[in-house]
Amino acid sequence: MATKIAQILGRFGLDWFILSIIGMIILASQFPGPGIAKGPFSISSLANIGVSFIFFFYGLKLNRQKLVAGLSNWRLHLLVQACTFILFPAVLLLFRPWLNQGETAVLWLGSFFLAALPSTVSSSVVMVSIAHGNIPAAIFNASISSLLGIVLTPAWMALATGDNNHHIDMSDVVIKLLLQILLPVVAGLLLNPTRLGQLAGKYNKQLKYFDQLTILAIVYTAFSESFSQHMFSTLGVGELFILGACLLGLFFFVYLITGSITRLLHFNREDRITATFCGSKKSLVHGTVMAKVIFMNSPLMGILLLPIMLYHALQLIAVSIIAQGMSRRR
């Protein structure tokens, strides 16, 4: 029975991880104490260490030769990265005059943070594979997007918060980015040709579980802080429904725009699938770990993470349905 339920949920992009995130939010609402505790062995401190290991393992799994070899399909790569880091933020900036004020200001900031994030890695490649797209190009774009996001995501956030009450102190952010993200990635890249790189590739599934457990710890501590400060007292079910509908609209807008551009550029079917799937997706992994670096354990962090968690679930459901349909038509 449990297996059958898991298979049904899997068809719609819902797995144990998404359900666990919901569970962490519920747990934080009822028992925020452990999440806001401080100390060297607190959940928050362990999550900080986990962030560094996530990016170290990410660099360790990156093959430099394959990245260089993937540069030839430059039109596809430029389109995916432009959609990821230019089209998404531009759409959110259009709505800034109406949404970045009053009670909607924090939700707009969280949505803009979502828009500034890189594309996903694992789920993009999986969905492209299901739809029979260009898998090597999907791997290349997801990897390059993650590296670019280390610089571009904080830069966009500094630009978006430069003239409001949520201004980010970039001097602290840059130091944390260097120590907690960039240096681990570089160390991993340098060690990729060694035995450690081979082991990382061999135990990729186990490392994925480590990533997910770290994200769950970050989600729990972020929402514990927000619930303890009563940050969700004015946010009701209606607002969540509207936010979800807007994020789903954002996904389909970018998906359709990207698809239209691929047709104008006369991409083949495989490249069209890769461009639309990679260009319209956002990474929950990078969203949660970079939020911990950029927002410095702010009590608003739980609310700021809401858009990326909603978008993650909605994009998986939407892309799963689209990919399955493409696979059947082929």
Side-chain angles (χ1 to χ4, degrees):
M1 183 66 179
T3 305
K4 189 175 182 180
I5 293 173
Q7 290 174 345
I8 294 171
L9 292 173
R11 291 175 188 172
F12 295 97
L14 297 172
D15 56 11
W16 75 269
F17 182 50
I18 294 177
L19 298 176
S20 297
I21 288 176
I22 297 171
M24 288 296 104
I25 297 172
I26 296 172
L27 186 65
S29 69
Q30 301 300 313
F31 305 101
I36 60 176
K38 306 299 179 186
F41 298 104
S42 65
I43 297 176
S44 180
S45 298
L46 293 175
N48 275 325
I49 297 171
V51 168
S52 297
F53 274 106
I54 283 176
F55 281 95
F56 172 72
F57 292 139
Y58 173 72
L60 198 60
K61 291 181 286 185
L62 277 179
N63 187 292
R64 285 171 288 175
Q65 287 75 24
K66 289 182 179 179
L67 287 177
V68 173
L71 287 172
S72 59
N73 200 350
W74 60 271
R75 290 197 310 162
L76 172 59
H77 307 328
L78 280 178
L79 176 59
V80 171
Q81 303 312 320
C83 290
T84 301
F85 292 113
I86 297 177
L87 178 59
F88 262 104
V91 173
L92 267 295
L93 286 175
L94 287 176
F95 293 94
R96 185 179 188 179
W98 297 279
L99 299 178
N100 192 25
Q101 53 188 325
E103 294 181 357
T104 60
V106 177
L107 289 178
W108 179 86
L109 185 62
S111 299
F112 186 82
F113 175 60
L114 153 72
L117 289 171
S119 179
T120 59
V121 178
S122 56
S123 61
S124 286
V125 175
V126 169
M127 296 304 172
V128 167
S129 175
I130 291 173
H132 304 288
N134 187 334
I135 298 175
I139 296 171
F140 177 88
N141 274 286
S143 302
I144 290 297
S145 178
S146 298
L147 293 175
L148 290 174
I150 295 173
V151 176
L152 295 180
T153 300
W156 268 119
M157 294 310 298
L159 179 66
T161 62
D163 57 352
N164 64 27
N165 295 329
H166 305 297
H167 176 66
I168 297 170
D169 185 350
M170 282 306 294
S171 60
D172 288 341
V173 171
V174 168
I175 293 172
K176 289 200 74 174
L177 282 171
L178 287 173
L179 295 177
Q180 205 168 355
I181 294 179
L182 192 58
L183 285 180
V185 169
V186 172
L189 271 170
L190 293 175
L191 291 172
N192 173 264
T194 68
R195 174 68 175 167
L196 280 176
Q198 296 174 6
L199 289 173
K202 181 178 180 180
Y203 295 103
N204 184 51
K205 185 177 181 180
Q206 288 77 5
L207 292 178
K208 181 182 176 182
Y209 290 141
F210 175 81
D211 293 354
Q212 292 173 334
L213 288 173
T214 302
I215 291 169
L216 292 176
I218 294 172
V219 169
Y220 174 66
T221 56
F223 277 84
S224 293
E225 191 71 42
S226 294
F227 279 117
S228 68
Q229 299 288 335
H230 306 289
M231 292 296 170
F232 294 101
S233 58
T234 60
L235 194 63
V237 177
E239 287 84 354
L240 286 176
F241 181 81
I242 293 172
L243 177 62
C246 291
L247 292 175
L248 192 60
L250 174 64
F251 167 81
F252 280 110
F253 176 80
V254 174
Y255 181 89
L256 293 173
I257 290 293
T258 308
S260 299
I261 296 173
T262 61
R263 285 187 286 273
L264 288 174
L265 296 175
H266 303 291
F267 281 10
N268 60 37
R269 180 186 183 277
E270 289 75 16
D271 285 355
R272 284 202 306 272
I273 291 170
T274 299
T276 51
F277 281 19
C278 294
S280 61
K281 299 191 78 180
K282 291 292 181 176
S283 174
L284 176 64
V285 174
H286 287 77
T288 48
V289 297
M290 292 189 77
K292 193 163 182 63
V293 175
I294 293 173
F295 298 118
M296 304 289 184
N297 297 319
S298 165
L300 294 172
M301 191 170 153
I303 298 179
L304 292 169
L305 282 175
L306 261 182
I308 178 58
M309 288 190 289
L310 275 174
Y311 190 88
H312 176 77
L314 292 171
Q315 75 179 3
L316 283 179
I317 294 170
V319 176
S320 295
I321 294 171
I322 294 170
Q324 293 288 352
M326 286 181 171
S327 179
R328 286 193 294 270
R329 285 196 297 272
R330 185 175 183 273

